[in-house]
Amino acid sequence: MHAWTLISFLFFTGLVALVTWRITHRDDLSNTSGYFLAGRSLSFPLIAGSLLMTNLSTEQMVGLNGSAFADGLSVMAWEVVAVVALVLLALFFLPRFLRSGIATVPQLLQERFGPTTQLICNVIFLVAYAVILLPIILYSGAVGLQGMLDLPVLTGIDSSTTLLWLTVWGVGIIGAVYALFGGLRTVAVSDTINAIGLLVGGFLIVYLGLNAAGDGNGVAAGWHAIQQSQPERLNSLGRPDQQVPWPTLFTGVFLINLFYWATNQQIIQRTFAAKSLSEGQKGVLLTGFLKLLGPLYLVLPGIIAYQLYADEGIAADQAYGYLVFHLLPPWLTGFFAAVMVGAILSSFNSALNSTTTLFSLGIYKGVFKKEATEQQVVNSGKVFGWIMAVASMAIAPMLAGQDSLFDYLQTMNAIYFIPILAVVIVGLLTKRVPESAAIFGLIGGIVLIAAGYFVPPFNGILEITNQYHFVAGVFVILVLGMLLIGKIAPRREAWVHEDVKAVDLTPWKGAVPVGIVLLILVFLIYFSFAG
């Protein structure tokens, strides 16, 4: 039984690596455009596939399904509200990003505000990725694989701690090799291949799970059984005692989604690599349609797991791996575990590639060695990438014991998401707000949110308001504060957003109509399940 699992796992993992190498092994990775931006050559299918897989790692598959196991359908906000953010990315943010020809978000802030803002933003991203993002990807991946593959039996290792460390380091080393030796195009190609496998496997889990919930009488019977036994858990609007109360959809949940999809370096770097604005918009909006399917494979399996296994005492973040292990035959379990490893590697190597981009272009060339050659910049990224990879592999096992991995991720992310988003939006919408205002926004925002989370007596504010309302309040304070500074001490000259002619900026004719359709579908999905 376990032999078939292992064989199918190794076969699919090896197949993805071979196909990726065949497609990308002749790429020119000696310059920064080729290594960090795939030579600005990505078409819309690669952009959509890479965006989807960068997002769909195990902190989504394991974490979001775990949240659904605990709270039900209301956690679909992290998928459905994301579509609104993607529409804004396609129509508002992306044309402005490509006009500047940037490779990183901090580069935009340098162009708009100045070098100090760029340096602070770079440091914030690097620290956040090293301490929050990369370790969570590795830890959630290790937890998911242990459940799917029954690793204690496969390996003969009884110690859960030892197995966790070994799994984290194994996945981390493979992901680092992809990211640091292959560049962004290798990441995008492997992402797209894995995206196909993940969607096929994800929907297969839903089909088998609903059939099991219906005692083998089909999908419709399973859905009917869930509706009958847990109707209160199928409400799209979260209660106040749940992770995503419905009013937060309009405050912190929306803002965190907007940062994640529109200004998060890890995500939008592949849109910077678009061959044209039109291709970029098509890729982003195609991702929006795919995200509308997200609740089916990122939320519904958690609800199915609750239906089948709630009385077996499993923890929320164990639910998805437990479901996969019990539903799939051994050879399919190995295939799906390989797809999950692809998802882990996708998010890990995308974050690592973004990390090296931020360091090499923003700090190494921007601060330490301004006259560095293209090859020196690329090499500095590879060295720093290995340092970050090792650090994240060392931190990841220490995350064991969190009640809800996905909720923890969103909570910690807000510390730097909100300040950066506030500064980017004010920067793009105003012409005379000075660099001092941006510095206030970045540093002041992190201090305010961290104090509200962790420092007495300030953290008492979370006892009287939801954390997502709190971070939205901080966002408003930061924006108003920056605008006030802009009134009191404005720039001497208005900022002019110049077109550097990096790519063709002709917009896709279908962008606005498709964006409107997506927004209507978001409303209909929420309305259909509101109770």
Side-chain angles (χ1 to χ4, degrees), residues 60 78 256 406-414 417 453 468:
Q60 301 280 331
W78 299 113
I256 290 172
F406 197 79
D407 191 47
Y408 169 79
L409 175 65
Q410 301 305 335
T411 299
M412 296 302 292
N413 277 344
F417 276 17
Y453 279 173
Y468 298 121

Side-chain angles (χ1 to χ4, degrees), residues 9 48 142 180 259 272 282 306 310 331 366 381 411 435 451 499:
F9 170 76
L180 302 178
F259 171 88
F272 295 162
K282 291 176 187 176
Y306 185 89
W331 64 275
T411 299
E435 185 172 32
D499 181 3

Side-chain angles (χ1 to χ4, degrees), residues 380-421:
S380 74
K382 292 180 178 179
V383 172
F384 185 75
W386 278 109
I387 294 171
M388 290 287 282
V390 171
S392 62
M393 287 185 276
I395 294 170
M398 301 177 189
L399 296 175
Q402 295 295 327
D403 292 334
S404 172
L405 194 63
F406 197 79
D407 191 47
Y408 169 79
L409 175 65
Q410 301 305 335
T411 299
M412 296 302 292
N413 277 344
I415 296 174
Y416 71 102
F417 276 17
I418 295 299
I420 294 175
L421 177 64

Side-chain angles (χ1 to χ4, degrees), residues 87 90-91 281 285 507-519:
V87 171
L91 301 183
Q281 289 177 321
L285 293 172
W508 179 40
K509 293 181 180 179
V512 173
V514 170
I516 293 171
V517 169
L518 283 170
L519 295 178

Side-chain angles (χ1 to χ4, degrees), residues 24-36 38-39 179-186 374-375 378-379 382:
T24 65
H25 73 283
R26 297 184 185 278
D27 289 357
D28 181 9
L29 303 177
S30 62
N31 59 73
T32 54
S33 177
Y35 187 75
F36 297 122
L180 302 178
F181 290 114
L184 182 62
R185 190 160 181 265
T186 298
E374 293 279 287
Q375 188 63 59
V378 171
N379 289 341
K382 292 180 178 179

